[in-house]
Amino acid sequence: MKPENYTQTPVFLLLGFFEKPELQPIFFGLFLSMYLVTLFGNLLIILAIISDSHLHTPMYFFLSNLSFVDICFTSTTIPKMLLNMQTQSKVITYTVCITQMFFFMHFVVLDGLLLTVMAYDRFVAICHPLHYKVIMSPWLCVLLVLVSWMMSVLQSLLHTLIVLRLSFCTHLEISHFFCELNEVVCLACSDTFLNDLVKYFTAALLGGGSLAGIFYSYSKIVSSICGISSAQGKYKAFSPCASPLSVVSLFYGTGLGVYLSSAAAHNSHSSATASVMYTVVTPMLNPFIYSLRNKDIKRTLKDSLGKKLRKSQLSCC
């Protein structure tokens, strides 16, 4: 490759949903609505947990952290995409692209680690109920969240640092609506062996480790529940696990679907559409899953809405 094909200050183009300009207003309204639903839905879960002392338990402490991470996860990609749609620009600068890539990797890994911690919490609650309060102490809960944050930051920082050493050519089109690690690395003109090695190593360590922890926890839970004789007892034991298990299935199912579809289809529209399920739809659906399937959250939300309605009626009178 000749030296003039390299650029010291590369500018990336996010192709995303720019193939049909006439559909831009529709896409803008759709993604803005989904982002606002994600933002207010997860914020509502956090406020409900903070306001109700009955929800100050390890399970809801982890849930509030998951909701906060989902807000941050979506906020790393959607606002920039909406801005590009509004300004009719595909451009994202090198600095913004690297920053977006860092935070996206950080929050997606943190999401998976928190789901693993929540699975462990349910495992202790169902398989060791008499020791639950002793094992899941406030100190341990905070420690698990802090360790999750540290691990996700370190892996994201590692990926970012080895991307910074790469040289890029002048043709820098990314087939997603955000700076995705694989897409950015594929655009490099220099050797990417170290990047691929670190990518597979961290995926096996963090992704595989998280999945193994989740699978082990829920397999032990199912085994423990099967030992309960009454159907009512089985339902009562499994009920708190339904929402976390649904979120786990949605998170890893859509994530796997993104990479399978990206491998099968090599056009920007298919890749961007698959990424929407993973980066937008999943965080948006999480509040609905927890609010509709969790009686404690539903009770808190109903009580809060009831109090507000009574206050408004009194003020009107």
Side-chain angles (χ1 to χ4, degrees), residues 73-251:
F73 179 36
T74 311
S75 298
T76 59
T77 57
I78 302 303
K80 176 58 179 174
M81 182 183 65
L82 293 175
L83 178 63
N84 284 5
M85 286 183 175
Q86 189 68 17
T87 57
Q88 295 296 310
S89 172
K90 303 177 185 179
V91 174
I92 182 169
T93 63
Y94 178 77
T95 303
V96 174
C97 183
I98 295 298
T99 303
Q100 187 185 66
M101 186 181 67
F102 170 84
F103 283 106
F104 179 82
M105 289 187 294
H106 165 54
F107 288 119
V108 73
V109 170
L110 183 56
D111 222 324
L113 291 174
L114 286 176
L115 290 174
T116 308
V117 170
M118 293 174 73
Y120 174 71
D121 172 72
R122 291 298 84 204
F123 160 71
V124 176
I126 292 174
C127 299
H128 305 283
L130 298 179
H131 302 93
Y132 177 71
K133 290 185 177 180
V134 176
I135 296 174
M136 299 305 296
S137 63
W139 179 84
L140 180 62
C141 293
V142 173
L143 181 64
L144 288 172
V145 171
L146 287 177
V147 169
S148 298
W149 274 83
M150 289 176 61
M151 291 177 66
S152 60
V153 166
L154 289 174
Q155 70 83 31
S156 187
L157 184 62
L158 177 61
H159 281 298
T160 303
L161 289 175
I162 59 176
V163 166
L164 289 174
R165 71 180 183 84
L166 298 176
S167 299
F168 293 92
C169 303
T170 54
H171 188 70
L172 301 174
E173 293 184 346
I174 297 175
S175 62
H176 286 276
F177 55 88
F178 65 95
C179 287
E180 199 265 338
L181 176 64
N182 293 332
E183 293 281 337
V184 174
V185 171
C186 287
L187 295 174
C189 295
S190 51
D191 181 48
T192 60
F193 174 76
L194 180 60
N195 298 77
D196 294 332
L197 184 66
V198 172
K199 178 181 66 176
Y200 292 126
F201 175 75
T202 54
L205 180 64
L206 297 177
S210 296
L211 272 175
I214 290 171
F215 180 78
Y216 175 81
S217 296
Y218 282 110
S219 63
K220 287 293 185 179
I221 288 171
V222 171
S223 177
S224 180
I225 290 175
C226 288
I228 301 174
S229 56
S230 66
Q232 185 178 1
K234 290 181 179 180
Y235 174 79
K236 186 177 180 181
F238 185 75
S239 182
C241 300
S243 296
L245 192 57
S246 300
V247 172
V248 167
S249 303
L250 188 64
F251 179 78

